[in-house]
Amino acid sequence: MREKYEPRIVAFLCNWCSYAAADLAGVSRLKYPPNLRVIKVMCSGRVNPLHVLYALSHGADGVVVAGCHPGDCHYRHGNYIARRRIALLRNLLSFVGLEEDRVVLTWASAAEGEKFAEMAREVADRVGKLGPLRHPIRKVETYD
Amino acid sequence: MIDEGRMREVARDLLASGEVDCVIGYARGSVWYRARPVAISDPDKVDMLIFNPFCMQNLATWLKFEMKENGGLQGKYGVVAKGCTARALIQMMQENGISTDDVYTIGVPCPGMVDPRKLGDDVLAMEDARVTLAGERVVVEGERRKVFSRDDVLHETCLLCRYPTPPLYDVLIGEGIEGRPAEDKNLAHLESLPAEERAKYWEDAFSRCIRCYACRNACPLCYCDGCALECLDPQWVYRSVEVSENTLYHLIRAYHLTGRCVECGSCEFSCPADVPLMELNRKMARDVERMFNYVPGMDPKAKPLLGAYDPRDPEGFIL
């Protein structure tokens, strides 16, 4: 019998806020699903849409990009840049028939451990409902 | 169409006075329904220059080739520029790909280019012919005379063109014409389909791709030195012809042109596999305009779309 489907989600967390939020969620012993595979980046503005496409192609069912709240970016405007990029990327994905809700942009400050845990639950639930990614971008050998 | 004599005169003066070192323009191709790009540095040879409804190539691409070949532009170039060529040049200037001083824009208002494939084999079989655009009609005069409707034989990208006249130029041959874009029915239709059907549509399209990189090469704005599509370390996308690699390739290409594509249609025109690349580009261009009120290739001093931001950018999608 097959095990229950668990979505694979790649999460790009920014060093200054979101990663600290994840840390806080852990230290505070908050419960959230273990579907997120965290990749620490220095800034959400460092996340190239290419990284997101690559992740989706190589086995991720969803991608999270998380950064500091607008105005709080350690590099002043990296998160604003990420906002434009991800907005357009989601449109492009939707246009080629890939559910754009698999790509999530979110803000979490270093104090928002609870918000981070809630986001992780929400994303795991959302991607879990969409099921495994079935789209031509996905490499066949990564199918379960 | 424009006054070719005047264009040649301008080119001759520019070359003779030393204002430019070279003029990039169009010459007659190997058959009557083709034009080819030509680089002229001798003022006596300017009579080669033509401008007819088959000058589809975006000459900014040939400036790119010059740049690639010589590691930068040597001297100043005069470029015969339709609306889309001029916009590509402006976009390159905006990104500091070329300097404003490198180029002298010989602007030509463009009534649209005829797609030879749409004329039919019997017309193309003619030994020689002259094609003129007159209002809504396209007249082919050769051994036989044949009249087409403009809507039937122009490239789709030309029918949808909004900027037939260069937004900026150093000299304009003739008078500017207003764009009168047709309704983009294909895009509206695709957007109205359910997601699964769109995925199917693009799977069909991308699986036809033979990964010849012609779309990348023909694009005037794909001039980066380290192209992500051929980078080996890290290798983002493999060269193998396979649908998931093709999809990744095309999405990366489309995204890299987001907020930059000037919709000249060179990629689609050069595609041997009939991948509807312009539908991707147009979709992104319309979104960019709707969401960020930005049209690329209009102002060399504008900030690049994805290198700038506005605190009021749309954020309804953020979780």
Side-chain angles (χ1 to χ4, degrees):
Chain A
M1 204 181 118
R2 280 192 66 177
E3 289 172 42
K4 183 175 163 279
Y5 163 67
E6 287 291 345
R8 274 175 294 200
I9 300 165
V10 174
F12 294 98
L13 306 184
C14 96
N15 181 52
W16 305 99
C17 297
S18 316
Y19 193 84
D23 222 9
L24 182 62
V27 171
S28 317
R29 309 196 175 198
L30 299 174
K31 256 193 172 167
Y32 63 90
N35 304 73
L36 260 51
R37 270 75 159 170
V38 174
I39 298 175
K40 181 156 84 168
V41 289
M42 288 311 279
C43 178
S44 54
R46 192 265 173 270
V47 180
N48 190 327
L50 185 54
H51 300 147
V52 179
L53 292 170
Y54 190 87
L56 292 172
S57 172
H58 287 71
D61 298 316
V63 177
V64 172
V65 179
C68 307
H69 283 274
D72 288 353
C73 179
H74 189 75
Y75 306 102
R76 291 176 55 214
H77 52 241
N79 50 1
Y80 284 123
I81 304 265
R83 187 166 70 179
R84 278 198 170 179
R85 284 184 180 163
I86 302 296
L88 287 165
L89 180 65
R90 279 168 55 99
N91 285 3
L92 178 63
L93 290 176
S94 150
F95 187 61
V96 294
L98 198 157
E99 303 91 345
E100 74 267 35
D101 281 346
R102 290 180 187 275
V103 176
V104 171
L105 178 66
T106 187
W107 313 134
S109 86
E112 292 176 325
E114 177 50 51
K115 189 190 166 190
F116 182 86
E118 179 52 40
M119 184 277 292
R121 285 191 282 268
E122 163 72 26
V123 174
D125 183 50
R126 199 193 260 193
V127 178
K129 277 190 189 128
L130 287 168
L133 178 59
R134 288 281 180 270
H135 187 269
I137 197 172
R138 187 70 170 266
K139 285 182 166 303
V140 176
E141 60 267 27
T142 64
Y143 279 175
D144 290 322
Chain B
M1 296 303 280
I2 65 147
D3 182 358
E4 289 179 331
R6 170 93 183 102
M7 178 175 70
R8 290 171 190 148
E9 204 177 289
V10 167
R12 187 178 293 116
D13 289 350
L14 283 172
L15 287 168
S17 68
E19 167 82 28
V20 303
D21 301 288
C22 176
V23 169
I24 301 181
Y26 300 98
R28 196 191 137 99
S30 47
V31 282
W32 60 268
Y33 53 85
R34 295 268 183 233
R36 66 184 168 95
V38 64
I40 299 173
S41 43
D42 180 354
D44 297 333
K45 291 194 176 150
V46 294
D47 289 335
M48 287 169 84
L49 290 177
I50 59 157
F51 191 74
N52 67 20
F54 298 110
C55 299
M56 180 58 189
Q57 297 93 336
N58 188 331
L59 293 181
T61 306
W62 270 262
L63 208 61
K64 167 183 102 169
F65 292 154
E66 286 284 313
M67 241 168 7
K68 294 263 171 210
E69 191 115 322
N70 306 320
L73 291 177
Q74 314 286 324
K76 185 163 178 167
Y77 287 79
V79 180
V80 175
K82 309 176 282 181
C84 47
T85 310
R87 286 182 64 209
L89 293 172
I90 293 169
Q91 188 60 28
M92 286 160 107
M93 289 169 193
Q94 185 196 324
E95 297 163 359
N96 290 326
I98 55 173
S99 150
T100 358
D101 305 328
D102 289 340
V103 179
Y104 187 98
T105 311
I106 306 167
V108 287
C110 168
M113 292 297 155
V114 172
D115 188 346
R117 290 169 292 196
K118 293 184 181 171
L119 290 174
D121 288 344
D122 58 323
V123 173
L124 296 188
M126 284 197 260
E127 205 54 45
D128 196 5
R130 217 169 65 86
V131 179
T132 40
L133 271 145
E136 292 305 309
R137 293 183 312 159
V138 175
V139 186
V140 184
E141 284 164 304
E143 296 136 42
R144 283 163 290 124
R145 185 171 187 277
K146 208 157 175 191
V147 181
F148 294 91
S149 153
R150 177 179 181 271
D151 294 348
D152 292 340
V153 292
L154 251 56
H155 282 281
E156 198 194 4
T157 186
C158 296
L159 290 171
L160 297 169
C161 176
R162 297 184 298 163
Y163 305 100
T165 310
L168 288 178
Y169 46 80
D170 292 295
V171 58
L172 186 67
I173 313 290
E175 274 183 34
I177 40 181
E178 287 290 314
R180 41 189 187 112
E183 193 191 338
D184 197 346
K185 291 193 184 113
N186 278 350
L187 186 57
H189 170 66
L190 269 176
E191 281 179 328
S192 72
L193 291 177
E196 308 84 69
E197 281 181 43
R198 272 204 302 266
K200 185 81 192 53
Y201 175 85
W202 287 110
E203 183 171 6
D204 284 349
F206 293 150
S207 53
R208 286 201 299 274
C209 174
I210 56 169
R211 295 291 289 288
C212 62
Y213 285 63
C215 46
R216 200 276 311 261
N217 289 358
C219 176
L221 292 167
C222 283
Y223 61 87
C224 299
D225 274 336
C227 178
L229 298 171
E230 58 183 35
C231 179
L232 293 174
D233 186 18
Q235 188 162 24
W236 296 111
V237 47
Y238 294 105
R239 308 288 174 87
S240 44
V241 184
E242 179 238 321
V243 68
S244 82
E245 293 297 338
N246 292 357
T247 308
L248 193 54
Y249 170 88
H250 284 290
L251 294 189
I252 295 172
R253 200 197 63 83
Y255 199 89
H256 280 191
L257 287 167
T258 300
R260 304 174 62 231
C261 176
V262 295
E263 298 172 63
C264 64
S266 295
C267 48
E268 197 168 278
F269 179 59
S270 62
C271 180
D274 282 331
V275 181
L277 298 159
M278 280 306 292
E279 277 165 16
L280 280 174
N281 293 345
R282 269 200 290 274
K283 157 74 182 165
M284 294 317 280
R286 291 298 86 76
D287 280 0
V288 162
E289 199 174 348
R290 184 170 47 77
M291 293 164 69
F292 304 109
N293 194 22
Y294 178 88
V295 179
M298 300 303 281
D299 174 9
K301 294 203 176 63
K303 282 201 174 154
L305 175 85
L306 290 174
Y309 68 96
D310 183 336
R312 292 159 301 175
D313 282 341
E315 54 176 7
F317 65 95
I318 293 173
L319 186 71

